[in-house]
Amino acid sequence: MNKEEVLAYITPKTAEFEGFSSVVYKCPAGYDTIGYGRNIETHPLSQREREQLQNGEISKEVAMEWLKKDLEQRYYLACDFAWFRDLDNTARAGAVVDLIYNLGYSGFKKFKKFIEAMNKRDYIKAVSELEDSTWFNQVGNRAKEISKMIQLGV
């Protein structure tokens, strides 16, 4: 598994899960968000990023650039876990990166039983832990897709 393969796999899926908005909106969790799910309250725009806005709007191309950068950062956060670094499956690794993007790193770390199951490579148990979460019922199809990636590795 290498970073480029994982990011190439998960970026279009995360973009689809998130959908696109050229303007700031409130996400279901109540945070100001723009582009492909960029939470600008917990991850404020840099000066360069603010300069890329045109009349407060973002283009799809710029939003995709931001998403790729954000997912790469989440990939490196996932590398904090030895079990993630040992994964040999691109889909599973991509699913973890998407989970960290969607939940935030601190939110992801609260999924202790999921993390424990992943550490044991018990993917059925890991999916069961996701299915038992509030998150699973909040994100609809995304949860089903992420679960499939983890359980089946596709």
Side-chain angles (χ1 to χ4, degrees), residues 92-107:
R92 287 188 181 111
V96 171
V97 170
D98 182 80
L99 278 167
I100 294 172
Y101 183 77
N102 188 230
L103 294 165
Y105 188 58
S106 60

Side-chain angles (χ1 to χ4, degrees), residues 128-148:
S128 174
E129 293 302 330
L130 291 179
E131 290 171 344
D132 286 344
S133 72
T134 302
W135 168 85
F136 190 88
N137 295 314
Q138 290 174 333
V139 298
N141 189 53
R142 180 187 217 146
K144 292 178 183 124
E145 289 293 317
I146 293 297
S147 295
K148 179 180 166 187

